[in-house]
Amino acid sequence: MCQDPTRRALILTALATGACLASARPSIAEEDLPGSSERPQKGDVLVFAEGDRAGEVIKPQDLQAGGPPVRAWPKDPKTSVVRKGSRLNEILVVKLEPAELDEETRSRAAGGVVAYSAICVHTGCPITAWVKAAGGDKDVFKCVCHNSEYDPRQSAQVVFGPAPRRLPALPLATDDGSLTVAAAFIGKVGAQQAR
Amino acid sequence: MALKQWLLSGLLASTCLVSVAAAGPIENYSPVTTERLKNPEPGNWMHYRRTYDGQGYSTLDQINTSNVKNLVPVWTFSTGVVEGHQAPPIINNGVMFVSTPEGQVIALNAKTGDEYWRYKRQLPEDLFQLHPTNRGVGLWEDKLYLATTDDHLVALDAKTGKVVWDTKVQDYKKGQYLTLMPLVVDGKVIVGGSGGEFGIRGYIVAYDANTGKELWRTFTIPGPGEPGHDTWSGDDWKTGGAPAWMTGTYDVDTRTVYWGTGNAAPWPGETHPGDNLYSTSVLALDPDSGKMKSYFQYHQNDSWDWDEVDAPMLIDLQRDGRTIKSLVHPGRNAIFWVLERKPEGIKYVAGWPFVYTNVWKSIDPNGKPIADPAHKPGIGKRVEFCPSLWGGKDWPSAAYSQKTGLVYVPANENFCGGFTGEKVPLVAGKLWLGTKPEDIGLTPRPGATHFGELQAWDPATGKKVWSHNFPKSQLFGSVTATAGDLIFVGGTNDRMFRAFHAKTGELLWEQKTNSGIVGMPIAYEVDGTQYIAVQSGWGVDAQRIQDALVGKVPGLENNVPQGGVVWVFAVKK
Ligand code: FES
């Protein structure tokens, strides 16, 4: 594990053993790699942001229908740079029943797979929960910072809480069986204004 | 200078900060001196709780129990932002400074509500704001000080709103942030860091008020070789929390600053074995050096998220036939603490539960509470405990009336809660609670008749003198007492601002406002007229409690609109 070059693995390892940080060779920080802080671009692939398969490319069959969402980073397939230099690039990917999606959402989906910014537009917390909506029985994205809820079937519109607008959607396509970015985020990522 | 020109020069001077002038600058500003801070004029409110002792008491009595029924709004001012507006308006001889979420300060004519100037901090796009709020500005000479959620301390010219200096305190990307009102002591601006949920090591830090130069920094978790370090295991001290995110109180006579500290991180105590000094404690510090003089830990190995960040009030109590220079703190851990400031350090005097708790079995003679393991959260098991993690009283402050000798507590009764502890690896800048945030529960006790409770306690005897219950709401707002025998408080989900009789608890006046009030009420005077002011603007934890109650309390009002407004009241002549 100590050879794993990703920053997260390094931190985890350091916590687990307390030994690896000291021996890690200085390297270019993730956020300094060219393109790592740029927003997702057309043609980027999506990779798992965490878990055993962190860094691996996500394919639709990796996702469980009906959720929960998977956290992902965009990755430039040409340079292999994972765009995790900015937390504003974190993405939620969820596979849903295509029939459940409204037209606009379906137009951005790859099969039933849809993707959104993982950063809550209220005050910029990460969205972490997939729970039954406060006002219904469908699972929705929930930001536990101040309880905003977004329905990914309806362009992630706000169904509860203080968030002022929907989550930016990331249009998807499939290429060679992998999920790819079809267009840039629709809407401004992060809090409503520079809060 | 013409407005346009002034704006341009402001923009040129700084790329990330903008000051916007409206009707300013302020003429004849009264410089704030050490003497004025020690003995603030009755008509002013220049500290977080008006005076260094943290009592939240105004000696003004023009508005009193006989005329409070004629209290009417005289002006209001929309702040333009949403979320929890928690700051007291700060008053210096007719000038009001209001801080709001998003790092905004508005300078207003305290008599008319006209705007002098407005400062808006441009916060970074990628900021993670768990507590998007601000609790006020500190004053010194002709400057004021704002602590920001992107972890900067900013000095503004009080007359113009122009940035004088801007110091980075720590790195917001690592979960470091500031929400408190700075404490100014003898030209030093003292702040403490929030961020206990991010695996930080808490600290209190002082800056030179004129230059922004750091003078000292005292970590609330002792490092290797420092006393108390052995109360932590392994490297837990590096990430163990103990943030210090509320303004301290200050004993002018002994030159001692008292500061409350937060819980250890992450929440389940099993993940950080030991007593975990100096989490959930009050620290006594030398304001010149930051050196710790003494401490008292309210509870050990916190596992309930019961931080004790609201600094204790300094009150001279008559107890057992003598004057006790006390520290009084109604704790988040449900215990009402009376401690003594002795020359040799802080000593326990008395403690009793002020709301129902099933966690504490007893308090030993040294003031150490003994926990029932059945109600202490651990790894892999769901544990229920009372009060909930928001505690018997969270950060909103109690007040002390020098006239009645009573302490007024914004308490929450009959709320229990629980969570399942889990071991979670720390990732810098991410939440690190030791449980899934969506797993946190808030449950009314079976048969509960009310939740919020404004309580009046006699700290000398430990007797509850009166209480006012709120059947359908939490009470989540700071209390202010006045010499008019009035207690002012908002804090409920019906958007009301209320005045109670300090002696009897009788509800004497109420006014519905635009939003819910989590802000701190204040009293002030301009040109011989007394005013009461408060910010209405619901959000943050008051809202979180509200959302957690949906579906659990029949008839609960959950439509509390957001949006901040400064309200100013006076008696109709
Ligand atoms: S940041 Fe998500 S609800 Fe506030």
Side-chain angles (χ1 to χ4, degrees):
Chain A
M1 261 189 87
C2 284
Q3 278 139 11
D4 189 317
T6 71
R7 185 181 185 81
R8 168 165 312 177
L10 199 61
I11 290 167
L12 290 178
T13 310
L15 281 167
T17 66
C20 292
L21 263 185
S23 60
R25 266 176 294 134
S27 60
I28 301 170
E30 230 17 271
E31 51 265 38
D32 295 337
L33 292 174
S36 72
S37 294
E38 279 167 25
R39 297 287 164 268
Q41 290 170 20
K42 188 171 177 201
D44 282 359
V45 292
L46 297 182
V47 299
F48 288 97
E50 59 192 13
D52 297 344
R53 300 180 61 188
E56 285 183 29
V57 173
I58 304 173
K59 299 189 156 82
Q61 60 268 30
D62 295 329
L63 302 168
Q64 196 184 314
V70 157
R71 310 185 80 77
W73 294 114
K75 177 178 168 176
D76 183 335
K78 294 188 265 327
T79 62
S80 293
V81 169
V82 177
R83 302 192 198 278
K84 58 184 186 177
S86 167
R87 62 183 290 270
L88 298 179
N89 286 349
E90 205 169 350
I91 295 158
L92 295 171
V93 188
V94 63
K95 189 197 253 180
L96 298 162
E97 193 51 56
E100 281 190 323
L101 309 181
D102 69 16
E103 215 175 302
E104 194 181 1
T105 307
R106 211 173 311 130
S107 72
R108 298 181 190 131
V113 182
V114 288
Y116 296 98
S117 165
I119 304 302
C120 182
V121 300
H122 176 227
T123 65
C125 292
I127 294 165
T128 53
W130 177 246
V131 293
K132 292 259 172 294
D137 57 1
K138 282 196 173 139
D139 285 327
V140 292
F141 297 144
K142 177 165 181 166
C143 174
V144 293
C145 266
H146 321 99
N147 297 318
S148 289
E149 295 178 355
Y150 303 88
D151 185 353
R153 300 162 198 83
Q154 304 178 65
S155 303
Q157 73 173 32
V158 182
V159 291
F160 185 82
R165 62 187 166 90
R166 62 194 190 177
L167 288 176
L170 188 67
L172 294 183
T174 37
D175 184 16
D176 244 2
S178 303
L179 288 173
T180 61
V181 173
F185 275 125
I186 296 172
K188 182 186 179 310
V189 183
Q192 184 179 24
Q193 57 187 87
R195 286 171 190 263
Chain B
M1 197 187 306
L3 174 63
K4 194 167 166 201
Q5 204 184 346
W6 190 90
L7 275 172
L8 282 176
S9 63
L11 284 168
L12 285 175
S14 162
T15 51
C16 62
L17 307 167
V18 180
S19 293
V20 181
I26 298 162
E27 309 289 345
N28 305 321
Y29 185 71
S30 306
V32 175
T33 59
T34 294
E35 205 38 56
R36 291 188 66 213
L37 287 175
K38 280 191 199 165
N39 297 298
E41 304 83 2
N44 285 325
W45 195 286
M46 299 189 291
H47 292 289
Y48 188 52
R49 304 295 286 135
R50 201 185 87 79
T51 40
Y52 271 135
D53 52 25
Q55 293 179 1
Y57 177 69
S58 166
T59 54
L60 299 178
D61 61 1
Q62 195 183 91
I63 302 171
N64 53 50
T65 52
S66 59
N67 62 12
V68 69
K69 60 179 182 298
N70 298 324
L71 209 55
V72 291
V74 291
W75 59 262
T76 56
F77 188 96
S78 290
T79 67
V81 296
V82 295
E83 265 303 337
H85 285 56
Q86 300 180 343
I90 293 297
I91 306 286
N92 180 18
N93 287 345
V95 181
M96 175 186 286
F97 301 103
V98 179
S99 68
T100 74
E102 298 181 16
Q104 175 179 238
V105 184
I106 309 164
L108 298 162
N109 181 320
K111 191 171 165 179
T112 63
D114 291 335
E115 179 180 326
Y116 290 122
W117 55 256
R118 190 189 290 241
Y119 166 83
K120 286 186 186 183
R121 185 165 183 81
Q122 302 300 294
L123 294 172
E125 280 194 305
D126 60 348
L127 182 64
F128 176 169
Q129 287 203 79
L130 185 62
H131 294 90
T133 193
N134 184 274
R135 298 194 175 99
V137 295
L139 303 183
W140 173 250
E141 295 180 343
D142 55 0
K143 289 190 268 305
L144 62 84
Y145 304 92
L146 174 74
T148 68
T149 44
D150 61 335
D151 222 56
H152 281 236
L153 181 64
V154 184
L156 303 179
D157 182 319
K159 297 193 285 286
T160 63
K162 218 173 161 200
V163 176
V164 180
W165 52 258
D166 178 340
T167 296
K168 179 177 167 182
V169 177
Q170 292 223 43
D171 185 357
Y172 76 85
K173 292 194 177 180
K174 301 207 169 81
Q176 299 276 359
Y177 61 112
L178 300 164
T179 55
L180 79 176
M181 172 170 163
L183 175 73
V184 184
V185 172
D186 286 342
K188 296 179 189 69
V189 189
I190 310 176
V191 296
S194 304
E197 314 80 0
F198 292 87
I200 55 120
R201 181 184 177 205
Y203 63 89
I204 299 164
V205 58
Y207 295 90
D208 182 301
N210 290 319
T211 64
K213 184 172 165 278
E214 182 172 325
L215 301 174
W216 53 258
R217 188 178 295 242
T218 299
F219 286 95
T220 55
I221 303 182
E226 292 174 334
H229 181 67
D230 57 354
T231 63
W232 294 86
S233 305
D235 280 345
D236 291 351
W237 63 278
K238 293 178 180 167
T239 54
W245 47 349
M246 296 284 291
T247 311
T249 48
Y250 175 51
D251 184 339
V252 173
D253 296 334
T254 62
R255 304 206 70 243
T256 308
V257 168
Y258 292 93
W259 218 284
T261 64
N263 53 289
W267 293 349
E270 273 176 63
T271 60
H272 43 83
D275 279 359
N276 307 141
L277 290 172
Y278 301 95
S279 65
T280 58
S281 301
V282 51
L283 309 183
L285 302 176
D286 175 345
D288 295 327
S289 65
K291 204 167 161 295
M292 200 180 306
K293 296 181 174 182
S294 178
Y295 74 93
F296 177 83
Q297 190 173 36
Y298 296 111
H299 59 274
Q300 291 68 33
N301 189 237
D302 179 75
S303 303
W304 305 268
D305 185 32
W306 284 339
D307 59 18
E308 300 293 355
V309 290
D310 187 26
M313 292 182 275
L314 315 184
I315 301 172
D316 286 354
L317 288 183
Q318 296 305 312
R319 196 182 157 98
D320 304 328
R322 65 186 183 99
T323 302
I324 291 180
K325 294 217 158 285
S326 76
L327 294 169
V328 171
H329 174 67
R332 187 151 159 177
N333 67 8
I335 299 170
F336 191 114
W337 296 97
V338 179
L339 309 173
E340 183 168 1
R341 292 169 273 153
K342 292 199 151 184
E344 62 272 26
I346 302 169
K347 288 282 170 304
Y348 170 70
V349 176
W352 60 88
F354 63 98
V355 295
Y356 172 76
T357 175
N358 58 11
V359 168
W360 306 120
K361 295 208 275 196
S362 60
I363 301 175
D364 84 4
N366 296 318
K368 182 172 180 170
I370 311 299
D372 180 346
H375 297 291
K376 183 170 179 174
I379 299 295
K381 58 176 182 194
R382 185 169 186 90
V383 170
E384 300 290 326
F385 54 89
C386 311
S388 77
L389 62 77
W390 282 282
K393 182 193 84 65
D394 205 297
W395 68 264
S397 298
Y400 172 72
S401 165
Q402 293 169 8
K403 269 183 82 183
T404 63
L406 302 180
V407 170
Y408 301 91
V409 184
N412 281 304
E413 179 60 286
N414 294 320
F415 283 148
C416 303
F419 60 84
T420 309
E422 60 177 30
K423 277 209 164 113
V424 190
L426 174 67
V427 179
K430 294 215 168 188
L431 274 186
W432 195 51
L433 305 179
T435 186
K436 289 194 179 54
E438 55 272 30
D439 187 39
I440 300 163
L442 180 63
T443 320
R445 270 177 84 203
T449 55
H450 69 280
F451 302 104
E453 187 174 327
L454 179 63
Q455 305 176 335
W457 287 91
D458 184 340
T461 62
K463 294 254 158 31
K464 197 203 257 186
V465 177
W466 59 258
S467 61
H468 181 96
N469 299 339
F470 298 96
K472 297 271 186 237
S473 179
Q474 70 275 46
L475 184 60
F476 211 90
S478 294
V479 180
T480 290
T482 74
D485 276 334
L486 294 171
I487 304 301
F488 289 93
V489 68
T492 52
N493 58 11
D494 54 9
R495 302 193 270 126
M496 288 294 189
F497 185 42
R498 296 186 169 90
F500 295 89
H501 197 305
K503 288 185 183 141
T504 65
E506 186 190 349
L507 175 62
L508 297 176
W509 171 85
E510 58 185 349
Q511 162 82 47
K512 214 178 239 317
T513 66
N514 57 298
S515 180
I517 294 173
V518 284
M520 186 177 289
I522 64 147
Y524 69 96
E525 188 181 280
V526 185
D527 294 342
T529 299
Q530 185 190 336
Y531 300 90
I532 301 291
V534 72
Q535 295 202 78
S536 178
W538 197 243
V540 204
D541 281 288
Q543 180 72 54
R544 287 187 183 117
I545 294 173
Q546 191 71 16
D547 293 338
L549 289 176
V550 172
K552 293 183 186 148
V553 178
L556 180 91
E557 176 57 67
N558 193 35
N559 185 22
V560 190
Q562 290 204 357
V565 172
V566 185
W567 287 75
V568 176
F569 302 90
V571 168
K572 191 171 186 183
K573 299 228 170 78

